Amino acid sequence: METILLNNGKTLPLEGFGVFQIADQTLCQQAVLEALQEGYRLIDTAASYFNEEAVGRALRTSGLPRDEVFVTTKVWVQDFGEVKTRDAVLRSLEKLGLEYIDMVLLHQQMGDYYGAWRALEALVQEGIIGTIGVSNFYPDRLADLCCNAAIPPAVNQIECHPFYQRRYDLQVMKNLGVVPMAWGPLAEGGHGIWTHPTLEAIGKKHGKTNAQVALRFNTQRGVVVIPKTTHRTRMAENLAIFDFTLDQEDLSAIEALDTGHTEIIDHLNIDTVTFLNHYRIHD
Ligand code: NAP
């Protein structure tokens, strides 16, 4: 497993395992346990995925030493604010059954995220969180947060895959020293990814599947990937990406697939902003 250095001196595996849309606790626990057995050492959950307990149980069942697994969770918008965010992180800690969380991200660039950020900074000082970052932050707000934070965000988790490559966002993050992490690295199965002829031709050349080519594209440009699957064979497939290198011809062909826009969720759409601000994950 390749790793990447964060701006706080800690390292992050270049690939992890995501658990969005595995709300069933038994299924989630089994998937995370199998992922750990397959060799994943970074697990990405969120308070809004409603499966932090299952992730915690899988970690304990795996028998792996705590410091060998990097656990990430996220605070939802409803819980943004200096007091509310602290309470939300302590709730996540309890659900996960952990004494500290490796990384906590603010899920969206909405609401009182400055108050939330100050709460995360305090929790880092207390040793309850190791690393803090954000998710779905667009370049302007990320730059603004970096200008005003006492502890700059180490990571920004954004949608990123061959059909939405985010080249400008990645350049901004590089300049700010923020490591990009790709959610939806397989485009959530969209754009005909599994049978896409360009990915297929490149895969054939290297003896790899379309999924492996898509994931390698991101890791090769320093973007952490966290694919989700509940199928064990796919967990292994998605992890077997560090034994080949895409050449310039491959990269140019993939670069031509960029549509420059999302087909999953547009965070700049006013209706989306309103929906996410009003979306509640607890009473
Ligand atoms: P994704 O990883 O791009 O795609 C997951 C889909 O691909 C599932 O339907 C899965 O089906 C299928 N799949 C996975 N590997 C495959 C393979 N090798 N061959 C064929 N099908 C395969 O989408 P995602 O789950 O949205 O993103 C990954 C993670 O990013 C999430 O789990 C979550 O942790 C995080 N995320 C974060 C945000 C955010 O706002 N911060 C938003 C979305 C996601 P099966 O499970 O049936 O195999």
Side-chain angles (χ1 to χ4, degrees):
M1 174 63 68
E2 293 173 13
T3 58
I4 191 161
L5 185 64
L6 301 177
N7 60 14
N8 60 3
K10 297 180 194 288
T11 54
L12 193 64
L14 255 182
E15 182 163 10
F17 184 74
V19 297
F20 181 43
Q21 290 169 336
I22 322 182
D24 181 274
Q25 299 292 314
T26 309
L27 187 61
C28 182
Q29 184 179 340
Q30 185 191 333
V32 173
L33 179 62
E34 288 177 354
L36 292 169
Q37 288 167 345
E38 288 295 335
Y40 290 83
R41 289 296 178 267
L42 159 60
I43 307 295
D44 181 81
T45 183
S48 63
Y49 300 170
F50 307 108
N51 55 19
E52 288 170 308
E53 290 100 332
V55 169
R57 277 197 297 275
L59 280 169
R60 287 187 291 283
T61 311
S62 75
L64 286 165
R66 174 66 188 89
D67 60 2
E68 279 189 23
V69 186
F70 195 99
V71 179
T72 299
T73 194
K74 312 182 192 82
V75 181
W76 185 247
V77 184
Q78 179 189 355
D79 292 318
F80 284 6
E82 215 153 336
V83 175
K84 286 197 286 184
T85 296
R86 181 183 176 82
D87 290 348
V89 171
L90 296 181
R91 271 199 306 277
S92 286
L93 203 60
E94 199 181 324
K95 285 184 178 169
L96 287 159
L98 298 175
E99 286 179 4
Y100 72 94
I101 306 176
D102 299 275
M103 184 159 77
V104 176
L105 308 179
L106 298 184
H107 212 139
Q108 309 284 348
Q109 53 168 23
M110 289 167 194
D112 182 11
Y113 60 83
Y114 268 101
W117 190 258
R118 284 192 293 278
L120 295 190
E121 289 175 334
L123 288 160
V124 169
Q125 302 300 348
E126 291 174 50
I128 292 173
I129 305 176
T131 295
I132 53 179
V134 293
S135 177
N136 299 307
F137 270 53
Y138 284 67
D140 60 324
R141 296 212 192 181
L142 184 66
D144 188 69
L145 181 61
C146 287
C147 286
N148 293 289
I151 302 176
V155 165
N156 184 19
Q157 186 182 113
I158 58 169
E159 180 188 349
C160 192
H161 48 75
F163 307 101
Y164 187 30
Q165 299 182 12
R166 316 294 296 266
R167 282 198 282 268
Y168 174 66
D169 298 64
L170 297 190
Q171 189 55 52
V172 170
M173 284 186 228
K174 191 175 180 187
N175 295 344
L176 293 170
V178 177
V179 165
M181 181 183 272
W183 68 253
L186 298 169
E188 292 189 351
H191 298 271
I193 187 170
W194 315 126
T195 53
H196 195 285
T198 304
L199 301 179
E200 222 158 58
I202 296 168
K204 207 170 169 193
K205 189 164 121 186
H206 297 281
K208 294 288 174 182
T209 64
N210 287 18
Q212 290 169 325
V213 171
L215 295 171
R216 189 64 183 137
F217 171 66
N218 261 334
T219 59
Q220 218 170 289
R221 45 184 204 152
V223 180
V224 180
V225 291
I226 46 167
K228 169 261 171 188
T229 178
T230 50
H231 296 90
R232 190 159 186 160
T233 51
R234 293 177 180 171
M235 292 174 195
E237 174 188 336
N238 294 347
L239 204 52
I241 60 165
F242 295 103
D243 58 353
F244 77 111
T245 305
L246 298 168
D247 61 29
Q248 197 47 55
E249 191 190 4
D250 303 331
L251 294 173
S252 302
I254 299 172
E255 276 161 18
L257 302 180
D258 191 12
T259 64
H261 68 270
T262 178
E263 285 185 8
I264 300 177
I265 182 168
D266 179 3
H267 293 95
L268 301 178
N269 178 290
I270 306 305
D271 292 338
T272 306
V273 173
T274 306
F275 171 76
L276 294 176
N277 263 287
H278 293 158
Y279 184 73
R280 300 181 71 78
I281 63 166
H282 59 80
D283 293 336

